[in-house]
Amino acid sequence: MRGDARNWDEEAYRETILKEREIQTRTVFRTAWAPSLNPNPDTIVVASSDGSVSSYSIPHLVSKLPLGFSNVKAPYLLMAEPNCFLKGHEGPAYDVKFYGHGGEESMLLSCGDDGRIRGWRWKDCIQSDVPIHLQGDQVKPVLDLVNPQHKGPWGALSPIPENNALAVDNQGGSIFSAAGDSCVYCWDVETGQVKMVFKGHSDYLHSIVARNSTNQIITGSEDGTARIWDCKSGKSVQVIEPLKNNKLKGSCVSCIALDASESWLACGTGRSLSVWNLPASECISRTSTRASVQDVVFDENQILAVGAEPLLSRFDINGVILSQMQCAPQSAFSVSLHTSGVTAIGGYGGVVDVISQFGSHLCTFGCKCV
Amino acid sequence: MEDEEIEEGMLVEEEAAPPQPEKSPYEVLRESKSSVENVVAKMLSIKKEAKPKSELRELVTQMFLNFVTLRQANRSILLEEDRVKSETESAKTPVDLTTLQLHNLMYEKSHYVKAIKACKDFKSKYPDIDLVPEEEFFRDAPANIKEPTLSNDAAQDLMLKRLNFELFQRKELCKLNEKLEIHKKGLQETIANRKKFLNSLPSHLKSLKKASLPVQNQFGNMHTKKLKQHHSAELLPPPLYVVYSQFSAQKEAFEEKIDLEIVGSVKDAQAFARQQANRDTGVSTKGETSRLEDDAPDEEDDGQRRRKRPKRAPTKQNPDQSGVYQVHPLKVILNVYDDEASDPKSAKLITLKFEYLLKMNVVCVGVEGSHEAAENNILCNLFPDDTGLELPHQSAKLIVDETPAFDEKRTSRPYKWAQHLAGIDLLPEVSPLLAVHDAPTSDITKTEAIMSGLSLYRQQSRVQTVVQRIRSRKKAQMALVEQLESLMKLKWPALSWESVPWALHAPLCRLHGCSPVGPPPNLASSLPVIDKEQVQEPIDADSVGQSGSSKEELESMREDGELPSLVQVASVSDDKLVQHKGDSRRGISLLSKRPPVSKAKPLSYKRHNEELDFLLDTESDVDEPAHIVPEEESGVPIQCFEVAGKSWVDFGAREFRLVLTRSIDLEKRNVKLEAKIKISMEYPLRPPFFTLSICTMSGENLYESDDSELYNELRAMEAEVNLHIVKMLPQNEDVNILGHQVCCLAMLFDYYMDEASPSSEKRQSTSVVDVGLCKPVSGQLIARSFRGRDRRKMISWKDMECTPGYPY
């Protein structure tokens, strides 16, 4: 097709240009490491703004990198083919999580802008032998939950609220979804029914984590507060206002994270990061960042945070920056940590940057359209 | 001799004959001889015995007696001899006579034998004569020949008659021949007359033709010109011939609104063709050259050609006529007219010139009358990845191996589509005149290959595709210039198509400036830079310079071994760096083109570095264990890498800076949205690409970038403008896409500002309580304006107008 006046197909060319731009504007909203027996990072699942949930094999991608790629040259942006591709949602897919006790029996959950939560048997996904470009609807979800609509006057129905984040309680067999109608829905995995609705936030929810040790969940909302809920009663136990003192516009609790002991909470609130000690219910530190924080995760007693800048920052509990390093996405929406210490950062541009435990870029890949 | 012996014999006989009666003289002779001998013997014995001489007397007497007999005998012998002699003489005469007679007879005989033989050998002529066969003779011969008897011998008679008949016939034929000869001479005379007339005819016709020229012009039927063009088309090199023939076929078959013309010196072309033929074959074909020469005088008396002569002269002097850039003397000119205009001749869109580089076997195209640089050439990237800077095929690259890129100075360039148009992919690499001398078999296969190639050529409708592309390119460029002009005058572009919300939206923001960035292209020089004050503002220039230099900056940073990844402690805000990163993300490809003239750049760079150093110090002071990762790989080179593979896309791209401002409150705080618009040559197929950045200015000169805060919003706006609205527009609005994008951007900007301003209420809910005759109805729907993890703002369109949030 290049420079060819023969068999010119203008429409097809226009399509390719637009497709190219579409890929550029795509966002990876969440990455998740697939459970595997292999202690090394193996497969990463990516939820992106085109509603797709796809998995990529890290060893495979690394093997495709050009030889001699080390820290010397500019990194090579690989347009990667997924090895499993699920057409998950209409509109963006916001979160993926694995439900279950690890291994291949676990279920891949995703939620998205269409207000659905869908679950696939992970084994089915990785064992599918359908060619990748046909795979979109091949694997049938075993779970398909839709958020309820609100009733307005005269029977008017509100639009289906989106699901912005998921949390799971493996023991209780429940999924918690942070929905766009400011409610948290607790779903029973077996029956597919809403077990409980947590109401109280005044604006839509951005993030949710389950604190299984105390049977609590913690949510972060657009209204600028985080709440701790008791799952038994469905009542709000505590309201955390990270920005009580300086109310800034557009500050929402966009991300929250719990450490392994489930006693420390990190909240990304607009352009600041605050750390709370839950047992003591007090704010340990509050740090302002240059760009708004969009995802945080605990790495033992340190905090990894990414935001609307191409940087991965590492803080200690006191909010002191330990290090910052460049990452490929210009605006990162997701940071996820593998048990081996490998970090994956996904964000704007449909780019996922995988950083090894030693701080070098393992590989950087762009999600290709299927 | 014999006679003498005979005489002697006879003599001997005669000697003995006389004494025949008694004794023959020979006997006498013999007796006397012997008696002499006796006497001599007796005498000798006496002498020896000395006997007395008396006895001798006796003996002497006897002697004498013997001598007398001897003499007598001798005499009678002689007499005898004489007699025999005379007898012989008399007998010889009759013998002689008879001998003579015999001789005569012998001679006579041989003469007769000879005569007989001659008679016997005599041959008649008649077997050689082609006679009429006998039966025919009997049938056809007139009576006066058949009747009289000419000879007694029947066969002889017949033969004679036949011969006579033959003779008669032949005489008749001779007479006929003569008659015909005369007739022939008469005919030849008439032929010569007619020939003379015919010879004078062309000049008559020519004068007629000349007389008809004004009439042809009057009626717009350029028949003569067309003929002449076809004539010179035969001299075109094959690729140009394909271009010419296919275009004219397209024109005639589909009434395509195009015009073709062949310009250049026909004489040069003829000379070239002749030279080519000579070189290729070593033998110049008589027919070829004579035909070529025939053309020459025909062209000579053409008024049109004479007009072109001075025009041709400068091209001839062109130094690159020789060497690798040798151009064939003939060129094809293509005029493309607007296919939508009512009057076909009025709206000429563009004029292209096709020329053929002999050495490289490439066809070059240029816009006639334009001397712009390659990147402003309207033809570049007509099809993807075709900048015209590279030679299209390997063989040509080999020829000019020292300069892999095409000569930059030439205005016409070897685009790939031109090669496709010329069918270089299907023509064999032989000169046209050489093909004539080829062996017939190979010729047939070759022509077959060409025929199939040409049918493929037509199937692919190359001509149509290219003409359409050129037309749409030109129209798009004209529309683009119009839109840009309106923007430069700080007017919102007028949109004719109004069924989109932004077309009806009256923008609240101001169009503050619009100016070209980068190397001043033609457009920049032709259009006045309106936004003068903007440019003169130091900080403004600074920011432009920064964005321009950021690539070099980043590179040099890496070279210096400094740590670009080192970012200030969060409490310190360095907005510029952020801005940099944002800019360089996409600006890279364009930046390399910027000539490093901006004075502001190095200064700002330096300052920036100092800041960095300072930050490094402070940070290491504060935090000891912080391990700072020296980062080689930043996000920037990733983009750079990606762009590098597609450098052709940016070839000829122009960049503009559009500034929208909106005052957000009473304190004269202004929000400035700066959009870098990259318009590629492929407009509108590749829509202009907007890169946004935003900053707030309070008062006059305090700038505060909100990039990082609004990063996601800006990207969403970019996506909207660059991608989504393109999908919404119908095909025929394509050319006005820039206007749509700008208007849409303004609308989005307005909208975002409305939301961002604190005065506007953030959340609303519509609740209804209906108290009336019926049962009260209550309920509420929450209106939302943000949604999703990226806090996307929602716009709902109602009757082509937008309201923030939904459901409204």
Side-chain angles (χ1 to χ4, degrees), chain A residues 61-119:
Chain A
L61 291 175
V62 171
S63 71
K64 272 168 94 180
L65 286 174
L67 278 177
F69 162 67
S70 58
N71 284 344
V72 184
K73 282 181 192 163
Y76 178 75
L77 182 63
L78 201 66
M79 288 317 280
E81 283 253 332
N83 41 8
C84 167
F85 176 79
L86 301 165
K87 188 86 201 83
H89 299 274
E90 299 288 319
Y94 286 128
D95 203 357
V96 282
K97 275 258 154 57
F98 281 93
Y99 173 86
H101 298 283
E104 297 197 329
E105 289 308 312
S106 50
M107 187 159 63
L108 172 66
L109 295 172
S110 78
C111 67
D113 203 42
D114 57 356
R116 285 169 184 272
I117 302 169
R118 298 181 124 183

Side-chain angles (χ1 to χ4, degrees), chain A residues 3-4 6 13-14 20-22 29 71 94 113 162 203-204 222 288 290 294 330-331 333 361, chain B residues 384 420 425 570 578 585 626 632-633 646 682 687 711-712 727 734 763 784 787-789 791-792:
Chain A
D4 210 332
R6 304 171 288 191
Y13 182 58
R14 191 194 304 272
E20 213 171 273
R21 288 200 174 173
E22 207 174 303
F29 277 117
N71 284 344
Y94 286 128
D113 203 42
E162 81 278 11
D203 208 332
Y204 81 93
E222 174 75 14
S288 58
R290 220 151 34 81
Q294 291 178 150
Q330 296 295 315
S331 171
F333 279 95
H361 290 266
Chain B
H420 292 147
D425 46 341
V578 181
R585 228 182 89 262
E632 292 287 333
E633 324 138 40
K646 291 198 150 205
E682 289 176 277
Y711 186 88
N712 292 332
K727 289 177 178 170
D734 249 6
R763 270 178 75 78
R784 301 180 57 193
R787 190 181 166 103
R789 287 196 58 210
R791 303 184 77 223
R792 220 164 48 252

